[in-house]
Amino acid sequence: MYIKKIFGVILLMAILTLPQNVSATKTDWFDRNYNFRNIRTVIVFDMTVSPGLNYGGPIVLRNIRDTFLQNARKLKCNVLTEGQAYRDLGYQLGMDLEGLAYSNPGRARQIVMDNAYRIADAWVVANVDNLANTYYVEPARTVWESRTERRKYYDRYGNRREETYTVQVPVTYPPRRVDISTIEMTLQAYETRRGAMIFARRDVRDREDYQAQAGMYGRITNSFFEDLGKKIR
């Protein structure tokens, strides 16, 4: 019984210390008239970040772009990176799109979008719209909890007995800081012939944890490509 009691306390502490999701909201739109099964090749553009966001610098940006591309490769079709699109289209158009991407990335990307139908059926873009790290202080609180006690006694025949019983006791928890990590993303897919949007998602997630956006980012992008893949199959 004593071992069970200790195990129960340890389990409760583990549950209390685990990061907990506060909210996760996905808002989708897709073109019901578009046949996603016609998609055979997709250009996946590098993920972007809204200006002014403190996302951690160029190394962090490179890592999350790698995560984005890794999840994109789960699509059951041919996946071209933005760099591959520059090379393939640059060859067809007789342009140095890779060089242009360094000097004028916005112009280079627009040329790819305008001519994407030459090498692909759709393209995907994604942007991190917001990142935030906030916190609140949960005040001290007292709650009534069940506690198991043991006592020994003698029965009417003089035999020593032992029994367990449950009592309610007040337990006071001190104030604690609760960190909240937030990430908001917009992810979109376009067909290449008309440049029309065919699938879009707005994903907003909060988590009770300290700077946990990297994990949430991975789940957001994985979920997007899983759902897009289901439409393509």
Side-chain angles (χ1 to χ4, degrees):
M1 182 64 69
Y2 180 74
I3 295 177
K4 290 182 178 179
K5 182 177 180 181
I6 294 296
F7 178 76
V9 172
I10 294 174
L11 180 61
L12 177 61
M13 292 177 63
I15 292 173
L16 291 174
T17 55
L18 282 174
Q20 301 296 315
N21 280 331
V22 178
S23 67
T25 304
K26 293 187 294 186
T27 305
D28 287 353
W29 176 88
F30 67 93
D31 186 346
R32 290 172 172 78
N33 296 317
Y34 182 76
N35 187 357
F36 286 83
R37 295 182 183 275
N38 288 333
I39 295 177
R40 295 293 178 266
T41 301
V42 176
I43 300 171
V44 177
F45 286 96
D46 292 340
M47 186 275 311
T48 58
V49 179
S50 291
L53 291 185
N54 181 17
Y55 55 85
I59 295 178
V60 173
L61 181 61
R62 185 179 291 270
N63 281 329
I64 60 178
R65 281 179 170 174
D66 285 348
T67 299
F68 184 63
L69 185 58
Q70 288 169 6
N71 286 326
R73 295 195 185 282
K74 297 176 183 178
L75 293 174
K76 302 299 182 181
C77 64
N78 185 35
V79 174
L80 298 178
T81 66
E82 185 168 344
Q84 289 173 319
Y86 288 148
R87 289 191 293 273
D88 293 352
L89 277 176
Y91 178 78
Q92 291 191 26
L93 299 174
M95 300 177 64
D96 181 14
L97 290 180
E98 292 179 281
L100 182 62
Y102 284 103
S103 60
N104 191 341
R107 176 58 181 158
R109 177 174 283 201
Q110 189 58 55
I111 291 174
V112 171
M113 290 178 175
D114 291 342
N115 295 275
Y117 67 90
R118 298 172 181 264
I119 59 172
D121 306 297
W123 76 69
V124 171
V125 291
N127 186 71
V128 178
D129 303 317
N130 187 38
L131 294 170
N133 293 291
T134 57
Y135 74 91
Y136 67 92
V137 176
E138 187 177 84
R141 66 200 189 283
T142 299
V143 296
W144 288 88
E145 297 183 356
S146 297
R147 177 174 296 173
T148 300
E149 301 286 352
R150 294 187 297 173
R151 65 185 175 191
K152 297 178 181 178
Y153 68 97
Y154 291 90
D155 64 19
R156 61 180 179 173
Y157 301 108
N159 298 316
R160 188 176 181 180
R161 304 288 187 183
E162 184 176 279
E163 69 175 1
T164 59
Y165 60 98
T166 301
V167 296
Q168 295 292 315
V169 295
V171 178
T172 299
Y173 292 95
R176 72 181 184 105
R177 169 175 165 149
V178 180
D179 289 290
I180 305 295
S181 299
T182 301
I183 183 170
E184 302 176 20
M185 287 192 66
T186 300
L187 307 98
Q188 299 165 307
Y190 292 78
E191 60 89 16
T192 57
R193 289 293 173 182
R194 296 173 296 125
M197 187 168 63
I198 54 176
F199 181 41
R201 169 169 294 172
R202 172 75 169 168
D203 201 321
V204 180
R205 302 193 183 205
D206 296 324
R207 189 172 181 84
E208 285 188 7
D209 202 354
Y210 179 70
Q211 295 186 345
Q213 286 88 354
M216 291 189 288
Y217 170 82
R219 287 186 288 275
I220 288 173
T221 56
N222 182 68
S223 173
F224 174 79
F225 284 114
E226 277 190 349
D227 292 346
L228 178 58
K230 292 175 183 176
K231 295 181 181 298
I232 293 176
R233 287 198 293 270

